[in-house]
Amino acid sequence: MKVQPAAFFRTTLPLDLGQLARLDDGRYHSIWLPDHMVSFWPDSIWTPEFTDLATVSPSPHRHLDGMAVAAAAAVLTRNVPLATSVVDTVRRHPALLAQSALTIDHLAEGRFILGLGSGESENIVPYGFAFDRPVSRFEEALQVIRLLWDSDGPVDFEGRFFRLHHARLDTEPFGGKPPPIWIGASGPRSLDIAGRHADGWWPAGAWTPEEYAQKLSLVKASADRAGRDPESITPCFIQVCLMGRDDAAIAEILEAPLVKTFLLQVSAEVLRSFGFEHPMGEHWQGFQDIDPATLTRERVLDFFDRVEPEMILAVVPHGTPGQVAHTIKGFVDAGLRVPKILDYGGMAGLDYAAASAENVRDAEDELMRLCEGVR
């Protein structure tokens, strides 16, 4: 398949559905819609003291239901596929996910992609959902979804986490074909699951082209062992980057508090592999340790004092849009085919947020130029 970027559609307030029309013109492979209860930014620093973004939004956590927004997008677009990126299998029962996905796919006339993952603690633990053995729960949920899609009439299922007794989902898939399932996976066991079940894959983290290639090879090897065509799995990635028009802009972006907090999403193990000790300590697990409500102002200020710009630059592509495009080309050479370029520089403040969309588009243009003829 050719290299083609994906678009990102924010599922937060204020919601601008009018933006969907410009994403439906053939430029993008697909539109990706996140599904969160909360964001990663600590409540304690979402104030005008730290960011002028807080002057236009009272909270960074004004999330809407990703599946519901996908349904709205389905009837407001005609061409581009729509993918959740990603819905977890903890907050929604797999039977509900199976029905909702078929519903949205009918609304989209066959353009919906069910993007699934095992979940992140900040969206689950505060709400009292059970988060034990998330990968096992995830794999069992996939089995239930496929069973309901593939069975005629009532079905029974007796699993560790889910049970069906004379359950039925008689709604036929649109066009006789159920929606593709894309899986977010990074650990060895999750990558094996992706190879056996996924129609598309993207990692929660792949910090170098070499790491992306290694994880993709594990997915493909698993697919091959399962008797599936490894090349039928679409390789994707949300590529976080920092873009500015010159070195001075990048230097300013790196000083922004919300940009520094990106390192909260990076584990101590990963940062250590780049030669740095994590500002949150040697046991910090990244995504799984983030709780925006409990990261106090004092702890975040101490974190800021320990952040070095080089730590951020080590783990994300950075520079002008053209420079970032050339870096992402390395991931394409490693097997990536559907990149989503996500400019974290927009979190540096209102002025940078306003420039971010143009920077992303310029980087996409240069990347597509670099990848002409790549298959």
Side-chain angles (χ1 to χ4, degrees):
M1 62 178 295
K2 70 175 183 179
V3 178
Q4 189 176 13
F8 192 73
F9 188 75
R10 292 178 56 182
T11 54
T12 52
L13 292 176
L15 185 67
D16 186 4
L17 294 173
Q19 293 294 320
L20 289 167
R22 69 175 183 82
L23 305 177
D24 196 31
D25 63 359
R27 176 183 177 89
Y28 294 105
H29 173 279
S30 42
I31 298 175
W32 296 358
L33 301 99
D35 183 66
H36 281 261
M37 299 292 285
V38 297
S39 296
F40 300 118
W41 300 290
D43 298 345
S44 58
I45 62 166
W46 191 269
T47 69
E49 176 187 2
F50 293 100
T51 175
D52 59 2
L53 296 174
T55 65
V56 296
S57 180
S59 167
H61 312 303
R62 300 163 72 197
H63 291 276
L64 301 173
D65 184 291
M67 296 285 278
V69 177
V75 298
L76 292 173
T77 55
R78 290 290 177 268
N79 305 300
V80 66
L82 307 162
T84 52
S85 63
V86 296
V87 176
D88 68 69
T89 53
V90 178
R91 291 176 293 148
R92 294 176 175 87
H93 192 283
L96 176 61
L97 283 170
Q99 183 191 40
S100 295
L102 289 183
T103 302
I104 299 171
D105 201 40
H106 275 274
L107 294 173
E109 298 182 331
R111 292 179 292 114
F112 182 63
I113 299 165
L114 179 59
L116 294 174
S118 59
E120 296 168 344
S121 58
E122 79 280 355
N123 292 310
I124 294 169
V125 174
Y127 305 96
F129 293 104
F131 200 35
D132 57 304
R133 304 186 68 83
V135 177
S136 296
R137 185 186 299 270
F138 175 63
E139 183 170 19
E140 193 170 293
L142 287 170
Q143 294 171 353
V144 171
I145 291 169
R146 292 289 192 194
L147 179 64
L148 288 169
W149 282 352
D150 296 341
S151 299
D152 293 324
V155 298
D156 296 323
F157 179 85
E158 188 71 24
R160 179 173 184 175
F161 305 98
F162 305 107
R163 293 169 179 81
L164 304 178
H165 179 63
H166 289 236
R168 62 195 306 151
L169 183 57
D170 289 355
T171 302
E172 66 273 15
F174 181 86
K177 183 178 180 181
I181 292 179
W182 286 5
I183 291 177
S186 285
R189 188 175 169 203
S190 296
L191 293 171
D192 178 64
I193 292 170
R196 288 186 281 113
H197 293 280
D199 301 297
W201 164 77
W202 61 100
W207 305 102
T208 65
E210 292 76 18
E211 185 180 4
Y212 188 91
Q214 189 240 358
K215 290 182 176 180
L216 179 57
S217 70
L218 292 175
V219 172
K220 289 185 174 182
S222 173
D224 188 60
R225 288 193 300 271
R228 305 181 65 216
D229 177 9
E231 299 307 316
S232 69
I233 300 173
T234 303
C236 313
F237 192 29
I238 298 175
Q239 179 64 75
V240 175
C241 60
L242 295 175
M243 285 191 283
R245 293 295 169 174
D246 51 39
D247 291 344
I250 295 295
E252 284 188 16
I253 288 170
L254 287 167
E255 291 300 316
L258 295 187
V259 172
K260 291 182 179 180
T261 61
F262 174 74
L263 285 180
L264 294 174
Q265 302 177 39
V266 181
S267 71
E269 180 182 4
V270 166
L271 201 57
R272 194 177 302 117
S273 71
F274 287 95
F276 299 99
E277 293 302 313
H278 201 287
M280 295 297 282
E282 61 179 326
H283 301 298
W284 184 255
Q285 298 181 79
F287 290 107
Q288 297 305 326
D289 278 348
I290 296 176
D291 185 342
T294 62
L295 284 169
T296 64
R297 184 179 190 276
E298 291 71 25
R299 192 177 185 194
V300 176
L301 287 176
D302 180 67
F303 163 81
F304 287 158
D305 288 340
R306 299 171 187 269
V307 171
E308 302 171 18
E310 291 76 17
M311 295 176 178
I312 303 173
L313 296 177
V315 295
V316 297
H318 54 276
T320 65
Q323 289 170 328
V324 166
H326 277 75
T327 301
I328 296 175
K329 175 59 163 56
F331 286 81
V332 171
D333 294 339
L336 173 63
R337 289 298 177 267
V338 184
K340 168 61 198 121
I341 301 174
L342 181 62
D343 177 28
Y344 220 78
M347 299 310 299
L350 291 172
D351 289 343
Y352 287 101
S356 183
E358 182 179 354
N359 286 338
V360 168
R361 194 171 182 89
D362 287 349
E364 291 169 348
D365 286 343
E366 177 63 11
L367 180 62
M368 286 189 284
R369 187 190 69 78
L370 292 171
C371 295
E372 288 179 2
V374 174
R375 294 286 176 178

